[in-house]
Amino acid sequence: MTHIHIERALGIPISAAWLELADIAHHVDWMADALTIEFETSQRRGPGTCFTCQTKVGPFRSRDRMEIISWVEGASIGVRHRGLITGEGLLALRPGASDDACSVSWTEELHFRVFVGGALTAYVAEPILTKLWHQNLSRFEDCARRRLESPGR
């Protein structure tokens, strides 16, 4: 099992960060490892929403089934992964010191199956995914800022 936890302070209001986070279809805009998202359910938000996400990290590709397992409006989204890598993740927002700031955290518990290298793959993947997801959170802030500056998006 691999545990990854990262945080980033954002120079945007929590309401702007939530609009970006809650727009699941647009996660491909800021997640460099997410190529496509295809919804399997008619709902697009909240617990029970299911989608397939094609991912690519370096030369490795995966098609994972994702299910939203928790949704706290304005605050967090929890997801369960099923595929070559299984596990659960949580993206959470916290208010900042001012109305124009907040922070985002990303926590993942991932299980790498034996046929994809198990513990060895987990050991190699952890620093790579940690760096990638730090970059993703930087892109997340950029996307949320653009959404804030052009609300018609």
Side-chain angles (χ1 to χ4, degrees):
M1 178 176 65
T2 297
H3 175 83
I4 299 173
H5 177 82
I6 59 173
E7 293 188 41
R8 179 177 174 88
L10 306 174
I12 54 174
I14 196 168
S15 59
W18 177 251
L19 287 175
E20 190 65 36
L21 188 61
D23 193 348
I24 304 298
H26 287 276
H27 283 199
V28 295
D29 294 342
W30 53 270
M31 288 185 175
D33 47 324
L35 301 176
T36 63
I37 290 176
E38 300 167 14
F39 287 94
E40 298 175 3
T41 56
S42 59
Q43 74 184 53
R44 301 288 190 260
R45 55 190 296 131
T49 300
C50 294
F51 55 96
T52 301
C53 182
Q54 271 196 325
T55 61
K56 181 178 186 269
V57 177
F60 303 102
R61 291 179 177 257
S62 177
R63 187 170 173 84
D64 299 329
R65 184 168 190 273
M66 315 280 268
E67 178 184 0
I68 296 177
I69 57 173
S70 68
W71 185 284
V72 179
E73 191 69 25
S76 66
I77 299 173
V79 177
R80 179 175 295 127
H81 309 259
R82 291 191 188 106
L84 290 177
I85 301 166
T86 62
E88 293 186 2
L90 181 70
L91 285 159
L93 301 171
R94 285 193 333 263
S98 72
D99 290 344
D100 293 331
C102 67
S103 65
V104 59
S105 65
W106 189 342
T107 305
E108 294 273 353
E109 293 282 344
L110 301 173
H111 303 272
F112 292 79
R113 297 174 187 233
V114 173
F115 62 86
V116 295
L120 177 61
T121 301
Y123 177 77
V124 172
E126 184 175 347
I128 294 167
L129 293 175
T130 298
K131 181 179 179 183
L132 177 63
W133 292 342
H134 271 290
Q135 294 167 349
N136 283 350
L137 291 184
S138 177
R139 283 189 292 279
F140 170 80
E141 182 175 17
D142 292 342
C143 285
R145 187 178 310 283
R146 281 194 299 277
R147 184 184 294 260
L148 182 64
E149 292 169 355
S150 57
R153 179 181 165 210

